[in-house]
Amino acid sequence: MALTIGVPREIFAGEKRVATVPEVAEKLIKLGFAVTVESGAGDDANFNDDAYRAAGAQIAESAAKLWATADIVFKVRAPNADEVALMREGTTLISFIWPAQNPDLMQQLAARKVTVLAIDALPRQLSRAQKMDALTSTAGVSGYRAVIEAANAFGRFFNGQITAAGKIPPAKVFVAGAGVAGLAAIGTAANLGAIVRANDTRAEVADQVKSLGGEFVKVDYEEEGSGGGGYAKVMSEDFQQAQREMYATQAREADIIITTALIPGKPAPKLITAEMVQSMKPGSVIVDMAGEQGGNCELTEPGAAVVKHGVTIIGYTDLPSRLARQSSTLYASNLLRLTEELCKTKDGVINVNMDDDAIRGLTVIKNGDVTWPAPALKLPAPPAAKSAAAAAPAPKAHGHGAPSAPMSGTSLAIVFGIAAALFWLIGAYAPAAFLGHFTVFVLACFIGYMVVWNVTPSLHTPLMSVTNAISSIIAIGALVQIAPPLAGTVERPADWIRWLAVIGIVLTTINMFGGFAVTRRMLAMFRK
């Protein structure tokens, strides 16, 4: 029998998102499920009840009716005690849970004999889990919205301008933390024309920062900061001291600071001190995206925007809800992909397969039994580093495929001597007409070789290399046929030969310029 997916209205203060949208509800129905949405659940995200009805979903008039009939419940925020009390035994809940931060909630859910899949517990190391990664989707929206909030409070252009009234310098934005949210903020601020700098304890993100138009600011202290799973780890005290000095310098120079630093299961690290805030220029802005976990700035007030020492400090905890429609759509898509993994038979029945690494990581309670934390993933070991001697095998002296040794001076002289003798024989005994054509052929080959091989190989494919070389030979030969004969040389070629040469030049030109146009488009794909 097909199961019913219930989507209640979020009752957390300020939460405007909804766990599924009409477009996704229609796809869930095609998987064999019945979908019931509480009346008004999508109103704050601009999805009304009629839109859900048009998609084939049923509308429940109250939360009590929805919880009483739902076999599977999709939520955004973790349920409170009243919602837990409405859950029936055997219900499956899929939501943000944060089991490490909510042990009491875990015990309440376990007592109701339910199954709970915490979307925040997804093992992000698995590449196939990316389509279900709601943390990444949410963080991307938050990073974008953080820049919009900063621009609203800043009171000045982000991009530099020169007007009749004077010159306006570009805003300087510093982003602390270059995870998903930080990268989204970097890209948004750079697109608005700001000068963007960023820092992260993970050195490997430097290229990502640069690719989005930012400048990576490195801490003057060597220490690896990757903590696995896409998160940073807690750094040593010496590193943190060097980091604070760098942040103090950036605070004095920046107009806007956006902080995103979080470590799972721990309070947000304090990166921006009160002294740094005091050193910032009046009118500057700080957007603290870690406000819900205490904030990265000492003066942040979670959920509010305050002005201290002339600096606006934004600690909003509902950044995704400020783009509720977009956030809801992305989150609903993540839950759809998860449902597809749970219901591979497409018959409206789910299978919480504990042998599946992704599903096992998500499942924090199974039929009332607490299964969190999940065992560590058995990831394949990285390949052992080969020694220099092993990586570069000694060249073989003999045998098929052995690398050729450099030609000695004597051998080179013999080769050139033989070539010179052949050229002398050709010049002494070959007819004049042959010499003219042979000279053109040699020059065309030489020029074609130099034209192609002097270009960086990454700028063309092997096929383009060959066609450009052939085109060079054709172009030079055709030009010789079109040009008037010199005194004492062969007679002027027939008209039909000259017209063939013209056609050859036209076709060669199309080929060569087409090749450069394709190369230009290929390179443009890798530019911002």
Side-chain angles (χ1 to χ4, degrees), residues 55-72:
Q58 301 295 317
I59 302 298
E61 296 303 323
S62 66
K65 289 183 179 180
L66 182 134
W67 287 93
T69 58
D71 301 299
I72 306 167

Side-chain angles (χ1 to χ4, degrees), residues 479-498:
L479 288 173
V480 171
Q481 295 299 325
I482 293 175
L486 299 175
T489 61
V490 295
E491 294 181 359
R492 183 183 184 92
D495 288 341
W496 66 272
I497 295 179
R498 285 188 284 113

Side-chain angles (χ1 to χ4, degrees), residues 90-385:
T91 301
T92 299
L93 172 66
I94 303 177
S95 174
F96 282 101
I97 299 295
W98 306 107
Q101 290 91 334
N102 297 305
D104 293 339
L105 173 63
M106 290 286 289
Q107 293 303 319
Q108 294 172 19
L109 290 168
R112 302 297 294 182
K113 303 294 184 182
V114 298
T115 297
V116 180
L117 276 65
I119 198 69
D120 48 272
L122 179 75
R124 304 168 79 186
Q125 302 95 318
L126 299 175
S127 58
R128 69 184 185 87
Q130 294 177 1
K131 62 185 178 182
M132 302 178 278
D133 190 358
L135 285 174
T136 295
S137 301
T138 304
V141 174
S142 297
Y144 174 88
R145 185 67 192 195
V147 176
I148 302 304
E149 295 292 342
N152 180 59
F154 185 44
R156 211 182 77 199
F157 294 146
F158 264 47
N159 62 323
Q161 295 186 19
I162 298 177
T163 70
K167 180 180 179 181
I168 302 172
K172 295 181 180 179
V173 178
F174 177 70
V175 180
V180 176
L183 292 173
I186 292 167
T188 305
N191 287 336
L192 289 174
I195 298 173
V196 185
R197 297 173 181 170
N199 169 260
D200 196 283
T201 57
R202 298 160 295 180
E204 64 267 21
V205 304
D207 290 338
Q208 300 176 36
V209 171
K210 294 176 183 176
S211 69
L212 291 171
E215 173 189 350
F216 188 79
V217 182
K218 189 176 180 182
V219 177
D220 191 17
Y221 190 92
E222 294 296 332
E223 183 176 348
E224 174 54 42
S226 180
Y231 294 101
K233 70 174 185 180
V234 179
M235 307 300 287
S236 67
E237 181 56 38
D238 290 339
F239 180 92
Q240 292 180 37
Q241 178 59 35
Q243 187 182 53
R244 283 191 289 269
E245 293 174 359
M246 183 270 290
Y247 282 156
T249 301
Q250 295 299 322
R252 289 191 295 269
E253 297 178 0
D255 299 305
I256 295 168
I257 295 178
I258 298 175
T259 65
T260 70
L262 283 174
I263 298 173
K266 296 181 181 292
K270 300 299 180 184
L271 304 179
I272 309 298
T273 64
E275 291 77 14
M276 294 180 193
V277 176
Q278 198 167 0
S279 70
M280 296 180 72
K281 298 184 287 288
S284 299
V285 179
I286 296 175
V287 181
D288 193 341
M289 295 180 61
E292 196 164 359
Q293 283 75 41
N296 296 136
C297 177
E298 288 184 347
L299 303 181
T300 295
E301 295 184 11
V306 296
V307 179
K308 296 184 179 180
H309 305 296
V311 178
T312 301
I313 304 173
I314 299 173
Y316 295 150
T317 58
D318 61 345
L319 289 173
S321 281
R322 291 170 180 261
L323 287 170
R325 186 180 181 93
Q326 182 70 77
S327 298
S328 299
T329 302
L330 293 174
Y331 182 64
S333 296
N334 295 139
L335 295 191
L336 171 65
R337 302 309 172 198
L338 172 57
T339 307
E340 290 174 342
E341 291 293 317
L342 294 170
C343 180
K344 294 183 178 180
T345 54
K346 299 183 179 180
D347 58 356
V349 178
I350 64 171
N351 175 28
V352 182
N353 182 10
M354 300 298 273
D355 294 328
D356 186 312
D357 287 338
I359 303 303
R360 176 64 185 88
L362 283 168
T363 307
V364 296
I365 298 175
K366 179 71 179 293
N367 297 326
D369 296 326
V370 176
T371 60
W372 183 87
L377 292 175
K378 295 180 181 179
L379 299 175

